[in-house]
Amino acid sequence: MGDLRFFTSEFAQQVVKDNVRLTASVEEGGGPIYDMGIYCINAARYLFGAGKPTQVVATSASKNETRFRVAEEMTAAVLKFPGDRLATFTASFGAADIGRYTLVGTKGTLTADPGYEYAEGINLKVVIGNRTRTRRFPSATICRRD
């Protein structure tokens, strides 16, 4: 894929009112970043082969619904990693189910869609130039340790 340059991800689900994910404040570990965003962060770190990001910028937004009184609906972040690589993602508790990511290099892309679902497995698509390869990893493959 050449020199890895950036990572993007969307991870969302509809969380019902009074779910524990929404009843704990952000300070207590509630909200989409602690529940779902950490998967996006760790995917970027793993795929970049990097430790901690060197810079982070984030913002949150919420619809005017009672279920988002304590914890925010969604948060988007931009993380800068060593080697001037960027990771961007949005994690949401108020949008349609999605869980995918794309890694972009100077010569190709890798897309996982779904990218975070243990029950469904992971579908990978790698495009380099005019060549495309796809592979499905069933859930048993993901969880198995060889």
Side-chain angles (χ1 to χ4, degrees), residues 33-47:
I33 290 297
Y34 288 115
D35 185 62
M36 297 166 59
I38 195 69
Y39 290 96
C40 304
I41 296 166
N42 284 334
R45 290 177 64 194
Y46 175 78
L47 292 168

Side-chain angles (χ1 to χ4, degrees), residues 2-55:
D3 183 26
L4 302 178
R5 301 308 303 139
F6 65 90
F7 167 95
T8 63
S9 184
E10 304 86 31
F11 202 6
Q13 62 180 304
Q14 284 288 350
V15 176
V16 298
K17 183 180 176 185
D18 297 327
N19 182 294
V20 69
R21 294 176 173 117
L22 294 173
T23 58
S25 69
V26 173
E27 292 79 16
E28 299 169 319
I33 290 297
Y34 288 115
D35 185 62
M36 297 166 59
I38 195 69
Y39 290 96
C40 304
I41 296 166
N42 284 334
R45 290 177 64 194
Y46 175 78
L47 292 168
F48 283 150
K52 295 178 182 177
T54 57
Q55 292 179 311

